Amino acid sequence: MKFGRSIRFRLSAMYSAVVFGLGGLILGLLYLGIRWQLAHDTHTIQVVRGALVSWGGRTMIVPQIEEAQVRSLENLFNQVVIDRMADLTLIAFGFLFLLSMFVGWILAGRALAPIARITEVAEEIQASDLSRRIALQGPDDELKRLAGTFDRMLARLEQAFSSQRRFLADTSHDLRTPLAAIRSNVEVSLADNDTDGAEWRATGEIVARNAERMSNMIDGLLATARLQNRQAAQVEIDLGRMVAEAADDVRASAAEHHVELKATTASVTVNAEPVALRRAFDNLLDNALKASPADSTVLLASGLKEGWAFLAVADEGPGFEPGEPGNGLGLSIVRQVAEGHGGEFHVHAGPSGSTCVVWIPYRGEGQPPADDPLASI
């Protein structure tokens, strides 16, 4: 039953039906044509001067017979030819059927070989290892395009799983830090019987500060989760206004650290989830202020480039290690938010600082620009 449901068997049957049908039609027409010819040709055998008989263009000498006897002999001969032709036609039908099934099976196997390759790779792929690719060779036909689509899907899945693993690792690491601070301070205060009110107050402030930090992390995680699950409503947002508001919010804090803020904004309206996008930009700004040395400048910008909208933060800090653009939960949230909006998160590290860019689709197609949009500013 399973054999009869296989696509190879169905293709073989289809090929066989076509070949067998055409061959059978030709044999049938040939048989009918010969039968009609014998039935309607009244001059198959002719009597010539009594003793001479002409048959099929040949003349031979036979004993003296009557013409009626010749006609009986002619009918008998025609019937023998028709019967033998019928037998040969039936044998040819059977041989043609077997041959068409065999040829159809071979052709179907060759046509479905790429499908078998795709199935083999798909069965070997696991969620923990998405590095396998089909890499189908051959002409640029439908099956090769199908394999290419499957490979590109695997690449996107591998990137998504890698991003999720990095996101979980950053989450566990960053949440562990405030938890460890809370636990250690509480344990120290509890272990000391002479702890007075001032020390307990200091411990409480440490706990409150780290609890606030954890609350902000959880809010960021929830906003990212809603965005990824398509549960967050997206509205029109002016990126230029958002950048200007973010700069005003942290300008005093930046001045305390002797860091100058410069905002270069362009009014660009995109559809986005406002809470998640603002939190992502705040994370970039917070990281830039922490990494910036005294008497340096942090540049904030928004704009359009090659049909893509962008938010960018550039600082003059130590930058990132090559190949490690997403250290820390804050930047992992930024990456998740960018991808949740159908965009990308890029980091351009240089010898004197780095630029973090969130690209959001505007009217662009394909990939966003790979270069630093603030390089010329």
Side-chain angles (χ1 to χ4, degrees):
M1 185 65 68
K2 184 178 180 181
F3 175 79
R5 292 198 303 265
S6 69
I7 189 172
R8 184 174 185 181
F9 178 80
R10 296 201 301 270
L11 283 176
S12 301
M14 183 180 66
Y15 293 152
S16 175
V18 174
V19 175
F20 180 73
L22 292 177
L25 179 62
I26 294 174
L27 288 176
L29 292 176
L30 182 62
Y31 170 77
L32 293 176
I34 293 176
R35 182 169 182 170
W36 183 88
Q37 182 69 27
L38 293 176
H40 292 79
D41 190 353
T42 58
H43 302 288
T44 304
I45 300 178
Q46 294 179 342
V47 178
V48 181
R49 292 187 301 276
L52 297 179
V53 176
S54 175
W55 172 58
R58 298 180 181 180
T59 302
M60 63 187 72
I61 299 177
V62 296
Q64 186 70 27
I65 58 176
E66 298 295 331
E67 184 173 353
Q69 295 175 319
V70 173
R71 297 308 169 202
S72 297
L73 178 63
E74 178 184 30
N75 293 333
L76 178 63
F77 175 76
N78 289 345
Q79 187 62 43
V80 170
V81 172
I82 291 174
D83 292 342
R84 181 62 57 86
M85 186 66 183
D87 293 339
L88 293 177
T89 300
L90 290 176
I91 294 174
F93 270 131
F95 177 76
L96 181 62
F97 174 75
L98 296 177
L99 180 62
S100 63
M101 283 295 295
F102 175 76
V103 173
W105 183 261
I106 298 299
L107 292 177
R110 291 176 62 88
L112 294 175
I115 299 293
R117 168 66 177 169
I118 295 174
T119 303
E120 177 185 355
V121 173
E123 290 177 346
E124 293 177 357
I125 290 174
Q126 299 179 359
S128 57
D129 181 17
L130 296 172
S131 60
R132 289 292 308 274
R133 296 293 183 271
I134 299 173
L136 188 65
Q137 304 297 321
D140 186 18
D141 54 11
E142 291 82 359
L143 291 178
K144 186 173 182 180
R145 290 194 290 272
L146 173 63
T149 301
F150 193 77
D151 283 343
R152 290 189 294 273
M153 180 190 69
L154 287 176
R156 291 193 297 269
L157 287 175
E158 183 181 20
Q159 181 180 4
F161 271 87
S162 177
S163 177
Q164 289 292 337
R165 284 193 294 267
R166 184 171 57 248
F167 184 73
L168 290 176
D170 292 340
T171 300
S172 61
H173 177 270
D174 282 31
L175 287 177
R176 189 182 295 115
T177 300
L179 282 174
I182 292 173
R183 180 177 179 179
S184 61
N185 281 274
V186 171
E187 288 179 348
V188 168
S189 298
L190 290 175
D192 188 358
N193 295 327
D194 297 329
T195 303
D196 56 18
E199 292 174 336
W200 275 112
R201 183 177 182 83
T203 300
E205 291 176 352
I206 294 174
V207 171
R209 186 165 56 250
N210 283 277
E212 179 68 20
R213 180 181 175 188
M214 291 175 59
S215 178
N216 291 333
M217 292 181 185
I218 293 173
D219 288 343
L221 294 174
L222 291 176
T224 304
R226 287 193 297 268
L227 181 63
Q228 291 179 333
N229 292 332
R230 310 297 182 186
Q231 296 178 353
Q234 297 191 5
V235 298
E236 289 188 350
I237 299 176
D238 187 338
L239 297 183
R241 177 179 296 180
M242 190 184 73
V243 170
E245 291 175 353
D248 291 338
D249 291 343
V250 299
R251 198 174 299 278
S253 176
E256 292 179 0
H257 293 84
H258 305 284
V259 174
E260 181 184 2
L261 283 183
K262 289 185 177 180
T264 303
T265 61
S267 180
V268 181
T269 301
V270 297
N271 288 323
E273 202 286 314
V275 176
L277 191 60
R278 175 58 191 268
R279 186 172 297 277
F281 189 73
D282 287 343
N283 287 346
L284 292 181
L285 186 52
D286 183 61
N287 287 342
L289 291 176
K290 290 179 179 178
S292 297
D295 300 323
S296 63
T297 302
V298 171
L299 178 61
L300 315 179
S302 64
L304 278 175
K305 186 172 184 179
E306 298 179 15
W308 285 79
F310 68 84
L311 293 168
V313 178
D315 62 67
E316 299 176 0
F320 297 92
E321 292 294 328
E324 299 180 0
N327 295 328
L329 178 58
L331 295 185
S332 292
I333 290 178
V334 174
R335 187 181 302 279
Q336 296 291 326
V337 169
E339 294 174 355
H341 285 89
E344 294 183 6
F345 174 52
H346 293 176
V347 176
H348 303 276
S352 59
S354 58
T355 302
C356 299
V357 186
V358 174
W359 293 101
I360 301 175
Y362 187 73
R363 294 192 181 92
E365 297 180 356
Q367 299 296 318
D371 56 335
D372 183 356
L374 305 185
S376 58
I377 298 178

